[in-house]
Amino acid sequence: MTGGNPSSLTDQQVVLATGGYDHTIRFWQAHSGTCHRTVQHADSQVNALQISPDKQIIAAAGHQHIRMYDVASAVSNPVINYEGVSKNVTAVGFHEEGKWMFTGGEDCSARIWDLRSRNLQCQRIFQVNAPVNCVIIHPNQGELIVGDQSGSIHFWDLRTDHNEQLVPEADASIQSVSIDPEGSYLASVNNKGNCYVWTLSSSSASSCTQARPKSKVEAHKQYALKCKFSPDSTLLATTSADQTARIWKTADFSLMTELKCATQRWVWDCAFSGDSAYIFTASSDGAARLWSVEGGEVKREYAGHQKAIVALTFCDGL
């Protein structure tokens, strides 16, 4: 690492994992770029990855199944292998206390799964009219935001089962949604390269969080794939088929940095470091990269996958 290792990347609590089309999940030493464990993810690409809040488990979403692996174990077999889902599972995440998990998929649903037993039990299903590309949990832990291929963003209030929806742009598939950690902003990106941002206001006892349009950014000229707010809420990253990731300032949604290198292809996923100073990206060229957010330089490359990396998850001690 130029100028020394960022302290946030050398801590023992750091977990960096990638997955994609070569049917493997790789665990990396974030500070050195060394792959220290490879897990076979048989019969399917990895569509999405997420580390549990206690950093004990990593959940992998694939074609017609959800698998969960021990993070610290050398055992490569999943501790949970659930195969009762039709089509691709495209999104996965956890409640902050780890009591339940949520997924989204091409079966036009978002689901909540009870994690208190070792068998994955589907507790609730939220059905929509188009395949689901993305699902996130609101920082209030009481709502899921679901983006689908028809262009709708759904707010599902888990307390009341009430739901509302936004359609930022007709006939433009919602590829990714993100809420900043303070719960102030919602962002989405679509398959036309556009990024929409809303200001959020707290939900009342009877209604979902309210979203007021704040900004539209023509983030990329091609398909956008992912958007992600930084932990300090000051930055928004977008990634695209145009072979770049871009960092935007949330103060005015102006472009701060473009992350680009000669060998990078489609950029599918990204994750900020806990101090918001660095960002990891996953690309179709089979490499993940660590970048300086401010300078835009590649600090580390994580090479070893044989095909496209489309999923990345990172958790550090911060």
Side-chain angles (χ1 to χ4, degrees):
M1 200 77 63
T2 305
N5 288 333
S7 58
S8 60
L9 301 185
T10 55
D11 178 44
Q12 291 303 305
Q13 291 295 303
V14 170
V15 182
L16 172 63
T18 55
Y21 281 85
D22 65 358
H23 296 198
T24 68
I25 300 166
R26 288 179 174 263
F27 292 82
W28 306 87
Q29 288 180 341
H31 66 284
S32 70
T34 304
C35 177
H36 63 83
R37 181 183 173 204
T38 302
V39 170
Q40 298 303 314
H41 187 264
D43 307 321
S44 167
Q45 77 277 7
V46 179
N47 295 321
L49 291 169
Q50 187 66 49
I51 301 161
S52 63
D54 63 7
K55 303 181 186 175
Q56 301 296 306
I57 295 286
I58 187 167
H63 180 63
Q64 299 186 332
H65 64 244
I66 303 153
R67 291 180 181 147
M68 303 177 79
Y69 300 85
D70 270 326
V71 168
S73 169
V75 177
S76 59
N77 292 333
V79 292
I80 294 173
N81 186 14
Y82 184 85
E83 297 183 332
V85 191
S86 67
K87 304 187 179 179
N88 273 306
V89 183
T90 55
V92 62
F94 292 91
H95 180 267
E96 67 179 0
E97 293 172 4
K99 292 177 182 173
W100 50 266
M101 180 177 79
F102 58 88
T103 60
E106 291 178 351
D107 63 352
C108 306
S109 76
R111 296 169 184 256
I112 289 177
W113 306 83
D114 189 349
L115 294 178
R116 286 171 294 191
S117 71
R118 276 299 199 185
N119 308 341
L120 216 49
Q121 300 286 336
C122 183
Q123 285 183 311
R124 298 170 74 176
I125 299 178
F126 178 64
Q127 204 72 34
V128 297
N129 295 321
V132 169
N133 286 335
C134 48
V135 186
I136 57 169
I137 191 167
H138 191 290
N140 67 20
Q141 304 297 302
E143 292 172 85
L144 292 185
I145 293 87
V146 179
D148 72 30
Q149 290 183 17
S150 75
S152 294
I153 299 171
H154 308 265
F155 292 78
W156 179 22
D157 189 322
L158 303 174
R159 299 158 299 187
T160 64
D161 218 29
H162 181 70
N163 72 85
E164 295 180 8
Q165 71 178 59
L166 286 170
V167 182
E169 185 175 349
D171 302 319
S173 172
I174 303 294
Q175 298 304 115
S176 179
V177 287
S178 181
I179 292 185
D180 78 300
E182 295 173 0
S184 302
Y185 298 124
L186 168 70
S188 76
V189 290
N190 66 27
N191 62 347
K192 297 182 179 178
N194 294 325
C195 175
Y196 290 84
V197 182
W198 295 264
T199 303
L200 300 180
S201 56
S202 302
S203 58
S204 66
S206 59
S207 68
C208 300
T209 292
Q210 301 300 302
R212 296 189 310 279
K214 178 175 175 60
S215 191
K216 177 192 175 184
V217 181
E218 293 179 3
H220 299 273
K221 292 277 195 268
Q222 297 180 35
Y223 220 96
L225 294 163
K226 186 69 73 170
C227 60
K228 195 78 67 77
F229 282 102
S230 61
D232 66 5
S233 299
T234 66
L235 304 170
L236 174 69
T238 60
T239 78
S240 171
D242 69 5
Q243 306 183 9
T244 72
R246 291 177 176 164
I247 313 288
W248 310 83
K249 296 178 181 177
T250 57
D252 57 6
F253 290 96
S254 62
L255 180 63
M256 183 173 114
T257 320
E258 182 178 80
L259 309 179
K260 189 173 186 178
C261 68
T263 56
Q264 187 164 260
R265 298 296 177 256
W266 286 34
V267 185
W268 286 91
D269 203 354
C270 64
F272 281 95
S273 61
D275 60 7
S276 304
Y278 298 89
I279 188 168
F280 298 89
T281 59
S283 171
S284 291
D285 66 352
R289 293 175 177 87
L290 174 70
W291 309 74
S292 161
V293 164
E294 194 168 338
E297 310 98 8
V298 176
K299 297 293 189 180
R300 277 284 171 275
E301 195 163 282
Y302 306 88
H305 282 280
Q306 301 304 305
K307 294 183 180 178
I309 307 175
V310 298
L312 178 152
T313 185
F314 174 73
C315 188
D316 60 20
L318 299 182

